[in-house]
Amino acid sequence: MIDFQKMEDAQTLAQAIVNTIPEPFIVLDDRFHVLAASVSFYRTFKVDAEHTRGQLLYSLGDGQWDIPALRLLLETIIPERAAMEGFEVEHDFPNLGRRTMLLNARQVVYESSSNRTILLAFTDVTARRVIEREKEELLKQTEELLRQKDVLLQEMQHRVANSLQIIASILLLKARAVSSEETRQHLRDAHQRVMSVAEVQRHLHASDGIDQIEVGTYLSKLCGSLASSMVGESQPIAVKVITDSGTIGSDKAVSLGLIVTELVINAVKYAFPASKADAVILVTYETSGENWKLTVSDNGVGKGTGDALGNYGLGTAIVQALVKQLNAVMDVVSGTEGVKISITRSTFTSRMPRAA
């Protein structure tokens, strides 16, 4: 500690310390008169020392500093707590305009005197509060736009699903009306393709519009729908699904769903020309990082069965186009124990069983 011989030296040092503080800063006596103020205080509030030092704080600027929040801080809070930080005051300050200030106040009590002084610092946070309000408003606007987007997305999904159902119904009606068995079968195949896309829409709706679909549930429901509409009592065929857990994007789900639809339709049509007790079509989907493998296999009659990707019909063309779109490769293995068709992205070692 410095032992000052003269009071004037102590006052000089104290004023120098006050002037060094970058924020507006004042020292008040116990009756709230200004004992000292920093250069930053004079500069910020555009006042001079002559009309500030020795003056009652509330009388500064023709009484414009008589602020209720400031009185509350100095006369009620500080006597009880001795210090207060971050006390926010919004006021039209003289020569400055509307400002938001954070006040930090501390009461100093002396051992050798009953007098006390109050140190009061100001931090102008007006610009910060404006930015915060603008951010809050932008956040509200963004949340409202997102809400509107979700409403529009749900409405779009409803309309797409309804449109697909209408198209599927029309195809079935046409299939019943035509006399040609070949045309009837083509219309039924088209119906299944539409229902494959509709299944994606149902899953999107169930996921609250999130563009990710749980692959196991999706393929299981799709194959269940195919089995219920195509497999007859005269030749029962089990359609089973085994998948790794995980999700896929809706665009990929549409492509995979259409591929599965075509291959399952093909297997139901051609793999079991005669009744077989343990007839099964197995759909598997495996993943390894970004790579994946889709396999549709059956334990039917095998090689030389219809469109088992030997005859180049519409179903084959659709599958080949979708495989190319997915940047994948297709492999067909056909023998006396059935047909196995694999769609693979990159190299992949399968862990799944096959139908035969």
Side-chain angles (χ1 to χ4, degrees):
M1 297 295 291
I2 301 174
D3 184 14
F4 289 103
Q5 299 300 318
K6 297 181 180 180
M7 180 61 67
E8 291 81 0
D9 293 339
Q11 292 175 342
T12 300
L13 176 61
Q15 186 62 53
I17 293 173
V18 169
N19 287 335
T20 304
I21 298 173
E23 292 84 11
F25 184 87
I26 55 175
V27 181
L28 306 175
D29 64 14
D30 54 3
R31 293 177 299 167
F32 312 120
H33 289 78
V34 179
L35 298 176
S38 67
V39 172
S40 177
F41 181 87
Y42 295 126
R43 184 186 306 118
T44 299
F45 295 104
K46 298 179 176 60
V47 293
D48 54 50
E50 182 182 352
H51 295 89
T52 301
R53 294 188 63 177
Q55 300 296 315
L56 179 66
L57 176 63
Y58 305 139
S59 68
L60 295 180
D62 296 326
Q64 295 183 54
W65 276 80
D66 191 0
I67 306 169
L70 187 59
R71 280 187 176 273
L72 173 67
L73 174 65
L74 297 177
E75 299 174 13
T76 303
I77 298 177
I78 291 303
E80 293 179 357
R81 300 188 185 181
M84 183 68 187
E85 295 184 358
F87 187 83
E88 188 166 313
V89 173
E90 187 173 351
H91 183 69
D92 283 317
F93 289 93
N95 304 319
L96 194 60
R98 192 76 176 176
R99 288 290 186 272
T100 302
M101 295 285 181
L102 288 183
L103 307 185
N104 293 331
R106 182 172 297 275
Q107 180 177 240
V108 180
V109 179
Y110 304 96
E111 293 182 1
S112 59
S113 173
S114 61
N115 294 330
R116 60 189 178 91
T117 55
I118 299 173
L119 310 180
L120 185 60
F122 300 78
T123 302
D124 190 344
V125 294
T126 305
R128 187 195 310 173
R129 292 293 182 262
V130 170
I131 292 172
E132 289 173 353
R133 285 193 290 269
E134 289 176 349
K135 285 183 177 179
E136 184 178 351
E137 183 61 29
L138 285 173
L139 180 60
K140 289 181 180 179
Q141 292 177 8
T142 302
E143 289 174 347
E144 176 61 20
L145 288 173
L146 288 173
R147 187 192 68 79
Q148 293 178 10
K149 186 208 73 172
D150 289 339
V151 171
L152 290 173
L153 180 60
Q154 290 181 6
E155 178 63 21
M156 181 190 71
Q157 289 173 354
H158 279 300
R159 293 190 180 188
V160 170
N162 290 338
S163 298
L164 290 171
Q165 291 292 341
I166 292 171
I167 293 170
S169 299
I170 291 172
L171 289 171
L172 280 183
L173 289 173
K174 287 293 184 181
R176 296 190 187 103
V178 298
S179 57
S180 169
E181 182 60 33
E182 181 181 1
T183 303
R184 182 180 297 112
Q185 191 58 55
H186 285 320
L187 289 170
R188 286 174 177 169
D189 291 351
H191 167 264
Q192 294 299 334
R193 290 165 187 143
V194 172
M195 293 306 295
S196 175
V197 179
E199 194 65 42
V200 176
Q201 293 298 322
R202 281 194 289 271
H203 275 73
L204 281 175
H205 179 62
S207 303
D208 295 327
I210 298 174
D211 190 32
Q212 291 291 315
I213 293 176
E214 206 288 313
V215 64
T217 304
Y218 166 60
L219 290 179
S220 295
K221 289 187 176 181
L222 175 61
C223 290
S225 175
L226 290 169
S228 64
S229 63
M230 295 196 67
V231 177
E233 295 181 1
S234 60
Q235 173 53 70
I237 303 171
V239 182
K240 299 181 179 180
V241 177
I242 303 175
T243 71
D244 287 341
S245 60
T247 60
I248 54 177
S250 60
D251 54 344
K252 181 180 174 184
V254 171
S255 298
L256 291 180
L258 287 172
I259 289 173
V260 169
T261 298
E262 295 298 332
L263 297 181
V264 171
I265 287 174
N266 190 75
V268 171
K269 283 184 185 178
Y270 303 114
F272 307 100
S275 180
K276 184 175 182 177
D278 60 346
V280 62
I281 299 171
L282 180 62
V283 178
T284 65
Y285 181 80
E286 308 166 75
T287 60
S288 177
E290 294 295 320
N291 299 320
W292 51 268
K293 183 172 186 177
L294 171 71
T295 302
V296 178
S297 60
D298 64 70
N299 61 348
V301 296
K303 188 175 181 180
T305 56
D307 194 77
L309 298 174
N311 296 332
Y312 294 95
L314 176 61
T316 301
I318 290 174
V319 171
Q320 290 174 336
L322 291 170
V323 169
K324 183 177 180 181
Q325 185 183 69
L326 290 168
N327 295 319
V329 294
M330 180 168 58
D331 179 59
V332 181
V333 177
S334 181
T336 57
E337 295 181 344
V339 175
K340 177 182 177 182
I341 303 172
S342 301
I343 315 297
T344 309
R345 186 179 187 275
S346 190
T347 57
F348 195 98
T349 302
S350 176
R351 309 181 309 276
M352 297 291 188
R354 60 170 293 179

